[in-house]
Amino acid sequence: MKFIQPTSIPENIRSPIRVVGIDLGTTNSTVAEIIWRPGQAEPPIARCLEVEQPTDTGPYTHVLVPSVVAIRGSQTWVGEGAKRLRADPKLRRNKDIFYETKNDIGSRRTYHLAPEGFQSAAQIGAKILAFLKTEVEAADALPIARTVITVPASFQLSQRNDTLLAAKLAGLTLQPGDLLDEPVAAFLDYLMSNHDSLLPELDQPKNLLVFDFGGGTCDVAIFRVRFFEGHLEVAPISVSRYHRLGGGDIDSVIVHEELIPQLLEQNNIDPKKIEFDERKRHLEPALLSIAEALKIGLCTELLRLEQFNRHPSSDKDLIVKTLSGAWPCPCPGYPSLKIHSPQLSAKRFAELLKPFLDRDLLYTRETEYYLTCSIFAPLQDALDRAEINREQISLCLMVGGSSLIPQVVESIKMFLPRARILTYADQLSAQVAVARGAAYHALSVALFGRGLVLPVASDTVSIRVASGLLELVPRGALLPFPGPNQFSERLELVVPASSVIDSVPLRVELVSGEDQRPLFTAIWDISGPVNRGDPLSLKFQMDTNQCLRLELSLRDQPNKSPFLCQIENPLTLVADRNEIRERIEEREELLRVGKVPRNEIPDNLVDLSEDYFELGHIDKSIDYLKQALRIKGRPDAAILNLLGIRYGYKRDWEQEERMYREASQASPSWATPLFNLALSQFHRANIDAAEKTICEALTIEQDPPYLVLYALILRKQGKIDEAESIIKEAIVQFGPIRALSDWELDWLLTAAKTVSNQALLDSISEEKRRRRRVGDLQGAEQGGLLPEIAPKLQRL
């Protein structure tokens, strides 16, 4: 077969065939179709449908449909009309308006304030898919032979199942294999348009990196690709998905670092008067579209200069994008607030982009308002997981609207010195490539019964046995393996030990490749009585989504507590989720759906505050503490003390002191808030105030750390002898070192340094080393016995 040329179409195709590919995106969604008619001389061309989208000011038609759903009055808006309603302060996110919900698909999160039919990411996705389906049906009466929907390569089974659910709710009929990974779809589209120049390179396996930097996500996928006998063999190696890194994050930075300052300056408003709620829930939605328009306009101008051989760096200071007019930004207390002629210069844009293009600091930095993370974090992460270096990448396909930001393109070219960079000529082509690739895949399935892409296992999958390894899935095996809806069975394994009463712990350990990279480990407790040598049955399959299902049972007693497991993407190394984020999402969901008893809500809000504080979200942490106080309905010293700490991190000294004083009044016998206040005053060189405050604390509690702080204050006042006497008294009061908390140990260390007590310093250092060793100790050693191969089979 010659890559879907007219001469390759089966002769039994006598009726027109219409197929559809849908990119259900985080920021925008697109639908593409191909209509193939018998006798057609030209190769098939995927065409994106122009979708009419109602708005307040009349119909808006475009191939990109914003993945936004809004409810206003009795009307449901989808697409551009819904996107424009983000600035409406009457609409509340996840209640009346929904966007970027793809990031929630497959999770337990619900939108409990929303009406029925809008309470999950799958249901919101269904609204978007149904909207696209209506357009497809109106565009042509020809029935659809096949529909393919794309998903991120990193999507796990729950996320893929939710996508299938969204399609079902939208009335779309999908068949097995109708979910296609987005990077594969994008490469298919590029290959269809450039096959004459690209196919000769693929006669041998090549490492392909797909860099998909869209509005809501940054997906990096690495594949081993080869074009063989008319099909594209694709072996996924690694995927790194940063679902909170996208062009939308750049927009948020522009909003909070550039537009809000412009807004406040124009209206003579003190920045300290605008708190978290006003900034995040009112000003940000009103300004996001402005930020996006400024960004796109500026990038378009920079690209135009490059095309005319005018290097933009020399003119960067002079390039400014301005949106004329006054733009409403109402928020509580300022109902008539407007920003006038917002602007963004190329110089300022380059400054804001720096954390997104950092080659050294490859970690996520979050505030409660926005996220910044280098694009090289997912790039390097994917390379590390694939265990290859950047010089081994042969091809790099740039996909997604944000991938065409000039500074991004240049940075990727420098990062991948040996790769051929594959780019689209314009932003729109880069944004619709995934939908078009899905349509080509759908046509191949409709015509030939299989797609252009043949997924293969990128490496072996083996189970570890007492004598070595037993291969289950060979490298390069076509997926599904061993075949559609089939299980392979291995009968060589036997139980490694006997037990009459107790169970036998069998270790089920899967590895891949020659380096035996760990994939999965679990213990199967085989209940007694069981004898060494009892035969086992091992059944397994790997489907086209690289989901490995494994069943282990006693061959003669198959129903006796069999071991069942499902391993998603064992060979595709996917970036892990953040544990703190997962904990936050779980707690917030329980609160949203009312599963937390009212008397426990304040404690849960305080826990959330602590988690957000750990992430560096100070204002969000403060907001949750205020909610906890409001629900309690009375002063709570512990919460007020935490608020003092938070305001201290914000350097809002007035609020910090107010909270500590309120905490002290709420619990007069508790000296901690006064100690914290004295410490803050000491660090700010407000020594006299610090002395007064610590003396107040000492009248309540003669705690050793309090005495150390008092001594430090006295030293600053020049009272050296008095300070040394107090520190020596404090050292005695600390007591045995091993009984001290880490906090107390640090204060003892400060005391020892102050009086140069070397023996005490050595004891503290040894104790710290001991605690590190204890902390580094691993949990219980990996237990269980490996299965054995039947003796007769071993001899063979």
Side-chain angles (χ1 to χ4, degrees):
M1 187 180 76
K2 191 181 177 182
F3 210 66
I4 309 190
Q5 296 295 329
T7 55
S8 67
I9 305 301
E11 295 181 0
N12 63 340
I13 304 295
R14 304 184 182 277
S15 301
I17 289 180
R18 186 185 187 209
V19 295
V20 168
I22 298 176
D23 174 14
L24 181 61
T26 306
T27 306
N28 294 300
S29 295
T30 312
V31 58
E33 70 167 3
I34 299 176
I35 299 178
W36 177 261
R37 302 184 187 280
Q40 180 175 320
E42 301 81 15
I45 299 294
R47 178 180 72 93
C48 289
L49 298 181
E50 298 271 351
V51 180
E52 185 177 290
Q53 306 163 54
T55 74
D56 267 341
T57 57
Y60 172 89
T61 302
H62 203 278
V63 295
L64 297 179
V65 178
S67 301
V68 185
V69 176
I71 309 166
R72 190 173 65 173
S74 60
Q75 185 174 352
T76 299
W77 302 74
V78 178
E80 183 65 26
K83 180 181 177 180
R84 295 181 187 182
L85 292 175
R86 285 194 308 189
D88 188 340
K90 297 178 182 177
L91 300 185
R92 182 173 171 184
R93 188 173 182 182
N94 296 335
K95 177 185 177 185
D96 314 292
I97 188 163
F98 311 85
Y99 50 94
E100 295 184 354
T101 57
K102 184 176 176 180
N103 289 334
D104 296 329
I105 205 160
S107 72
R108 291 173 289 182
R109 181 172 188 176
T110 60
Y111 311 132
H112 72 290
L113 296 176
E116 189 174 347
F118 296 81
Q119 294 183 336
S120 70
Q123 290 177 337
I124 299 302
K127 302 295 181 189
I128 298 167
L129 290 173
F131 184 74
L132 297 177
K133 176 175 178 284
T134 300
E135 183 64 29
V136 169
E137 292 170 345
D140 199 296
L142 197 64
I144 301 170
R146 199 85 180 198
T147 299
V148 169
I149 297 176
T150 59
V151 294
S154 61
F155 260 24
Q156 303 295 289
L157 192 62
S158 63
Q159 294 164 306
R160 293 173 188 268
N161 286 340
D162 259 12
T163 305
L164 291 172
L165 174 60
K168 181 180 179 180
L169 293 172
L172 292 169
T173 302
L174 298 190
Q175 302 175 51
D178 284 349
L179 293 183
L180 180 65
D181 287 352
E182 290 168 2
V184 175
F187 188 62
L188 271 180
D189 175 66
Y190 192 90
L191 198 57
M192 288 300 297
S193 303
N194 302 273
H195 58 273
D196 288 340
S197 62
L198 195 54
L199 283 184
E201 292 187 50
L202 300 179
D203 58 341
Q204 296 296 323
K206 293 286 193 302
N207 289 330
L208 162 71
L209 185 149
V210 179
F211 178 73
D212 187 352
F213 190 22
T217 60
C218 185
D219 288 359
V220 177
I222 299 177
F223 304 91
R224 190 171 293 111
V225 296
R226 180 177 70 145
F227 193 73
F228 182 71
E229 295 183 355
H231 288 274
L232 184 66
E233 288 188 354
V234 175
I237 302 175
S238 71
V239 177
S240 185
R241 181 172 198 247
Y242 279 52
H243 78 279
R244 294 195 62 231
L245 170 59
D249 294 295
I250 297 174
D251 298 341
S252 294
V253 173
I254 294 171
V255 165
H256 291 282
E257 295 297 326
E258 189 64 21
L259 296 183
I260 289 181
Q262 287 181 31
L263 173 72
L264 299 181
E265 183 179 358
Q266 290 176 9
N267 293 273
N268 296 314
I269 298 174
D270 184 350
K272 290 183 180 178
K273 301 297 183 184
I274 305 296
E275 295 191 350
F276 172 81
D277 189 73
E278 287 82 6
R279 291 175 183 267
K280 188 67 179 176
R281 297 174 186 169
H282 296 274
L283 296 183
E284 182 183 288
L287 294 169
L288 274 174
S289 295
I290 297 173
E292 183 183 23
L294 289 171
K295 177 189 69 177
I296 293 173
L298 200 56
C299 289
T300 301
E301 177 63 14
L302 292 172
L303 287 169
R304 185 184 69 81
L305 287 172
E306 286 185 347
Q307 290 170 356
F308 284 94
N309 296 319
R310 288 179 59 196
H311 197 279
S313 60
S314 60
D315 302 324
K316 195 168 289 184
D317 293 345
L318 305 177
I319 303 172
V320 178
K321 178 65 179 176
T322 303
L323 297 182
S324 301
W327 304 78
C329 308
C331 73
Y334 303 92
S336 302
L337 198 60
K338 293 180 180 180
I339 187 170
H340 299 268
S341 301
Q343 61 180 229
L344 179 66
S345 70
K347 181 179 180 181
R348 181 61 173 149
F349 183 53
E351 292 172 355
L352 298 178
L353 278 178
K354 282 182 180 179
F356 294 96
L357 303 176
D358 199 314
R359 289 273 294 270
D360 298 314
L361 303 178
L362 304 185
Y363 51 80
T364 300
R365 285 161 283 185
E366 284 188 274
T367 72
E368 53 269 68
Y369 300 112
Y370 58 78
L371 169 150
T372 60
C373 182
S374 173
I375 61 172
F376 295 106
L379 277 165
Q380 191 60 56
D381 185 57
L383 289 168
D384 290 345
R385 292 170 185 276
E387 297 184 350
I388 60 177
N389 60 53
R390 54 197 177 100
E391 286 81 10
Q392 292 174 279
I393 299 297
S394 303
L395 301 166
C396 173
L397 176 61
M398 307 280 283
V399 190
S402 301
S403 72
L404 291 185
I405 294 174
Q407 293 93 330
V408 171
V409 176
E410 187 60 29
S411 296
I412 295 294
K413 287 180 179 178
M414 294 176 64
F415 185 71
L416 301 174
R418 298 182 181 276
R420 179 180 169 190
I421 306 297
L422 311 176
T423 61
Y424 286 89
D426 56 82
Q427 186 179 46
L428 184 60
S429 296
Q431 289 175 290
V432 302
V434 170
R436 292 190 309 210
Y440 287 122
H441 180 77
L443 180 62
S444 179
V445 173
L447 291 174
F448 308 108
R450 63 180 185 174
L452 289 168
V453 177
L454 294 181
V456 299
S458 61
D459 215 333
T460 59
V461 176
S462 303
I463 186 169
R464 193 182 297 279
V465 296
S467 56
L469 298 177
L470 179 65
E471 184 179 283
L472 304 181
V473 180
R475 177 175 179 169
L478 289 177
L479 302 180
F481 181 86
N485 301 315
Q486 297 179 26
F487 275 79
S488 184
E489 185 174 21
R490 303 298 295 262
L491 301 175
E492 300 97 318
L493 302 181
V494 296
V495 177
S498 300
S499 178
V500 177
I501 300 175
D502 297 328
S503 60
V504 172
L506 188 79
R507 188 163 87 240
V508 183
E509 184 177 346
L510 300 180
V511 300
S512 74
E514 295 180 359
D515 58 351
Q516 300 181 25
R517 176 172 63 85
L519 299 179
F520 173 84
T521 302
I523 300 296
W524 173 32
D525 287 315
I526 307 174
S527 57
V530 63
N531 296 312
R532 182 180 183 182
D534 282 354
L536 298 170
S537 169
L538 170 62
K539 297 180 181 179
F540 60 92
Q541 68 162 198
M542 183 180 284
D543 65 19
T544 54
N545 291 324
Q546 284 199 90
C547 182
L548 178 66
R549 294 174 176 84
L550 186 131
E551 300 178 6
L552 259 171
S553 62
L554 292 168
R555 199 190 316 169
D556 298 331
Q557 303 177 69
N559 296 322
K560 183 180 179 180
S561 302
F563 176 83
L564 308 174
C565 73
Q566 182 171 278
I567 311 163
E568 300 182 41
N569 294 319
L571 297 177
T572 303
L573 298 167
V574 181
D576 297 324
R577 288 175 57 83
N578 183 287
E579 289 184 10
I580 298 177
R581 274 267 161 215
E582 286 188 337
R583 191 165 64 236
I584 286 173
E585 289 175 7
E586 183 175 351
R587 284 176 175 158
E588 288 183 332
E589 176 64 14
L590 292 173
L591 287 167
R592 272 193 296 267
V593 299
K595 290 188 176 180
V596 178
R598 182 168 178 81
N599 65 313
E600 297 178 12
I601 290 177
D603 289 342
N604 276 264
L605 293 173
V606 171
D607 289 341
L608 280 167
S609 171
E610 294 284 6
D611 284 338
Y612 275 113
F613 185 63
E614 190 170 344
L615 291 175
H617 295 196
I618 310 302
D619 282 353
K620 190 65 178 286
S621 178
I622 289 172
D623 191 60
Y624 271 124
L625 290 174
K626 287 181 175 179
Q627 288 185 46
L629 278 177
R630 188 166 58 250
I631 292 172
K632 275 183 171 287
R634 57 177 174 78
D636 183 289
I639 295 176
L640 289 164
N641 182 65
L642 288 174
L643 277 169
I645 295 171
R646 305 301 188 261
Y647 280 116
Y649 270 85
K650 284 190 68 176
R651 305 176 71 82
D652 188 338
W653 314 126
E654 182 180 345
Q655 282 288 75
E656 177 196 43
E657 179 158 356
R658 181 185 172 208
M659 294 302 123
Y660 285 142
R661 292 292 181 186
E662 289 282 341
S664 181
Q665 290 178 21
S667 181
S669 61
W670 188 39
T672 297
L674 293 174
F675 171 80
N676 288 339
L677 176 56
L679 183 61
S680 171
Q681 292 166 333
F682 174 75
H683 286 316
R684 289 184 278 125
N686 196 350
I687 303 302
D688 291 341
E691 181 191 14
K692 184 178 179 180
T693 306
I694 195 62
C695 286
E696 288 183 62
L698 287 169
T699 61
I700 301 169
E701 188 175 356
Q702 293 277 325
D703 203 40
Y706 296 16
L707 293 171
V708 175
L709 177 57
Y710 184 34
L712 295 177
I713 293 170
L714 291 175
R715 285 175 65 87
K716 285 289 184 181
Q717 293 176 325
K719 303 172 184 178
I720 306 300
D721 292 341
E722 186 179 355
E724 186 166 336
S725 173
I726 291 174
I727 281 189
K728 289 179 178 178
E729 178 187 347
I731 289 174
V732 173
Q733 289 189 22
F734 270 107
I737 287 180
R738 286 209 174 188
L740 300 180
S741 67
D742 289 342
W743 178 75
E744 290 171 320
L745 190 63
D746 285 338
W747 276 103
L748 180 58
L749 177 63
T750 299
K753 287 179 178 178
T754 303
V755 295
S756 301
N757 187 332
Q758 189 58 49
L760 182 56
L761 287 171
D762 291 342
S763 297
I764 294 170
S765 296
E766 177 57 36
E767 174 62 15
K768 283 182 171 285
R769 283 194 293 270
R770 186 192 70 81
R771 295 188 185 191
R772 281 195 296 271
R773 288 195 297 271
V774 171
D776 290 340
L777 289 177
Q778 301 298 316
E781 293 184 358
Q782 186 181 42
L785 303 171
L786 291 169
E788 297 178 347
I789 300 291
K792 291 182 180 180
L793 294 173
Q794 282 185 334
R795 286 195 295 273
L796 292 175

